[in-house]
Amino acid sequence: MSTIKDIILSYRDKPGGIIEAYHAVQKEYNYLPEETIATAASTFGVSEAQAYGVATFYSYLSVEQRGKYIIRMCESAPCHVAGAEALIKAFEAALGIMAGETTADGKFTLELTECVGQCQATPVITINNVPYLNMSPEQVPAVLALCK
Amino acid sequence: MIEEKRIVLRNADLIDPEKIEDYLLAGGYQGLEKARSMSSPDLIAEIKKSNLRGRGGAAFNCGLKWSFAPADAPVSYVVCNFDEGEPGTYKDRIIVQKDPQSLLEGMAICGHAVNSKQGYIYCRGEYPYVVDLLNRAIDQARGKGVLGDFDIEVRMGGGAYVCGEETALIESIEGHRGEPRIKPPFPGVAGLWAQPTVVNNVETFTNLPSIVLNGAEWFAAIGAPNYPGTKVLTLTGDVTNRVSIEVPTTATLREVIYDFGGGIKEGKKFKAVQVGGTSGGFIPESLLDTPIDFDSMRGIGATLGTGAVFVMDETRDIVDITTRIAKFFEHESCGKCNPCREGTFRAYEIMKKINQGQASVQDIENLTILSQVMEKACLCGLGQAAPSPILTTLKHFYPEYQARLQLN
Ligand SMILES: Cc1cc2nc3c(=O)[nH]c(=O)nc-3n(C[C@H](O)[C@H](O)[C@H](O)COP(=O)(O)O)c2cc1C
Ligand code: SF4
Ligand code: FES
């Protein structure tokens, strides 16, 4: 695994590259560990407050530790009418956590999200950004079993 | 019955999107070659004459927008808005996944027109697999030398709907929080890093190669005179066929829903359609014979927006859906300006109260006044459009609200 510092430094010459650097850190660590903010601030010449402000503006970036598998459940209107609520409840029941939480073993994080652009096959979830289409509560155990 | 007409999706499923060779064999980059044989002012005049209007929602004349960028600026930028955050919309993903080179060619044509050497594609964070495809496409285009001295970089968004607003998008590329700027200055004068910047939608750019190649008259003669060409629509909700289609802008909503969408699923009856994404207006059965073009949709108090077509059958609960939409705006408001930060919060609060059967007529009156204030006072299009679903459902589906009110 590359160090956080190495990842961030590789974006040093990219104007406005702080968000790209955050994405790259998150790709390896699944969230932005604490030192990310200070390192990014010094690399891109902004205050830590600004670097933190950027990190917390975007819903895809997380300054809190998350699970190995991040399950995002779309609740925008087209998914809502297609049964997103029942699906969300099924995931919460199967994992024993509420949306916004991470399982105690650090394996799964459940998040609510808005439209992920796959509305031809609602309701939709994504697991680590891979979309799963036309979901139903019955499919939840099988989908979770795919996450080793 | 109206037929599909493919301009933007002309190569869809006919070429391999991973192979620039396929694109070149299909006539790719001939539009750019022709554009480069023209002077910048002639090229801008040609696009203006075609009356191509922006496909990202605001329908501004594309050539006219380009003409605002000063011709002698030493540095300027071409930015593609691929944020596609409007719920119910997936057209830009389809366009790029089926034919990425078409977007690159369109951006390079714009680059020649406004004398820019650097393009950025701002792609939403939900599409990392499309970012990878675009990067491979850019590598191939560089390898073949087709882009000449114009270069393109892809930047990835972070899941913030407001970043689709062009000045928020620019802030985000600069590495800041994606909060909209106060206009003027407009991006054409001072945009990315304070340099002249043209921002257009994916679908706008991908129209350009064919327009340049076939001429402005050819394009202007297709579809509705005021909003010529085609529109890529994405059908969602209770239609039999949830598909994306490209139709001339003279197509009516009824044709879109029944001829292409195959009508309502499971033999149920139509109740409503929301066009243009979650910020669009709700439309009842009686207005289904309206053509989809921008001005006709405006004429019925709705919007073409992104071209999302969200269909609801007779069993759907309009108040519940509008409440869900109010939550969306409350969540996505960036908080920069008061009318939107407070307004989306209160609108959601009142909608929840109505949805739970705890509201009175007074709450509806307050909601209406709040909505009218937000339309006028919000800084950017997010807050200005947020009340549209509320106001249009109050207008066309009032009995559903009434049935929820407390009788006091
Ligand atoms: C809240 C908000 C979100 C927007 N989202 C998008 C978007 O995802 N894609 C887009 O092309 N335009 C979006 N727009 C419109 C852009 O601000 C801008 O008008 C457009 O990119 C210009 O391109 P066009 O002229 O080619 O349509 C959005 C506007 C607002 C206010
Ligand atoms: S209208 Fe809403 S999204 Fe737009 S600037 Fe104001 S608070 Fe931000
Ligand atoms: S509404 Fe859920 S993916 Fe678009």
Side-chain angles (χ1 to χ4, degrees), chain B residues 208-328:
Chain B
L208 294 169
S210 304
I211 295 176
V212 173
L213 208 51
N214 301 319
E217 280 90 9
W218 166 81
F219 186 80
I222 299 165
N226 285 335
Y227 186 95
T230 58
K231 185 77 190 74
V232 182
L233 307 174
T234 52
L235 277 58
T236 67
D238 299 318
V239 276
T240 307
N241 313 319
R242 291 180 290 175
V243 290
S244 57
I245 54 169
E246 182 176 358
V247 289
T249 51
T250 37
T252 65
L253 286 173
R254 195 180 300 279
E255 286 166 328
V256 168
I257 294 168
Y258 288 90
D259 295 349
F260 294 99
I264 310 302
K265 259 195 310 209
E266 297 158 9
K268 292 193 181 123
K269 283 212 206 81
F270 174 92
K271 182 187 266 184
V273 60
Q274 187 189 27
V275 179
T278 245
S279 62
F282 280 62
I283 299 164
E285 161 94 46
S286 59
L287 296 173
L288 282 188
D289 292 311
T290 312
I292 59 159
D293 74 87
F294 184 82
D295 302 317
S296 300
M297 295 298 289
R298 266 290 150 88
I300 61 165
T303 173
L304 171 58
T306 61
V309 180
F310 171 40
V311 178
M312 287 151 271
D313 74 28
E314 55 187 328
T315 68
R316 297 305 179 189
D317 181 340
I318 295 289
V319 174
D320 179 66
I321 294 169
T322 310
T323 307
R324 176 63 199 76
I325 292 172
K327 183 182 176 193
F328 172 82

Side-chain angles (χ1 to χ4, degrees), chain B residues 54-58 65 81 83-85 161 164-166 199-201 204 381-382:
Chain B
R55 281 356 188 202
K65 184 192 279 189
N81 190 340
D83 197 50
E84 187 147 88
Y161 167 70
E165 196 282 331
E166 57 189 6
V199 184
N200 278 126
N201 172 257
T204 312
L382 189 151

Side-chain angles (χ1 to χ4, degrees), chain A residues 14-16 18-20 23 53-54 57-60 75-76 80-81 114-120 122 134, chain B residues 90 93 124 126-127 129 153 155-159 172 174-178 193 236 242 316 320 324 327-328:
Chain A
K14 212 183 247 303
I18 186 167
I19 295 172
E20 293 286 301
H23 278 305
V54 171
F57 182 84
Y58 297 94
S59 67
Y60 264 47
E75 55 166 355
S76 285
H80 177 73
V81 302
E114 297 293 348
C115 180
V116 296
Q118 298 284 349
C119 346
Q120 77 285 359
T122 50
N134 289 318
Chain B
Y90 52 95
R93 171 176 64 79
R124 69 185 311 213
E126 287 79 353
Y127 296 159
Y129 41 94
E153 187 183 324
R155 290 288 176 97
M156 195 159 83
S172 187
E174 291 184 0
H176 306 140
R177 293 165 66 89
W193 293 297
T236 67
R242 291 180 290 175
R316 297 305 179 189
D320 179 66
R324 176 63 199 76
K327 183 182 176 193
F328 172 82

Side-chain angles (χ1 to χ4, degrees), chain B residues 52-62 65-66 79-86 89 91-92 122 124 160-169 180 183 198-205 227 279 305-306 328-329 332 380-385:
Chain B
L52 170 66
R53 292 168 66 185
R55 281 356 188 202
F60 198 80
N61 182 298
C62 178
K65 184 192 279 189
W66 295 0
V79 172
C80 173
N81 190 340
F82 187 9
D83 197 50
E84 187 147 88
E86 253 321 327
T89 310
K91 66 169 180 94
D92 293 338
Y122 187 86
R124 69 185 311 213
Y161 167 70
V162 70
C163 286
E165 196 282 331
E166 57 189 6
T167 60
L169 186 152
K183 295 189 260 191
V198 170
V199 184
N200 278 126
N201 172 257
V202 169
E203 190 180 346
T204 312
F205 281 123
Y227 186 95
S279 62
T306 61
F328 172 82
F329 287 112
E332 297 296 334
C380 88
L382 189 151
Q384 290 160 7

Side-chain angles (χ1 to χ4, degrees), chain B residues 23 75 78 81 99 107 132 168 199 268 304 311 314 335 344 367 380 387:
Chain B
Y23 185 67
V75 180
V78 173
N81 190 340
D99 192 8
M107 290 178 69
D132 293 342
V199 184
K268 292 193 181 123
L304 171 58
V311 178
E314 55 187 328
T344 53
L367 184 62
C380 88

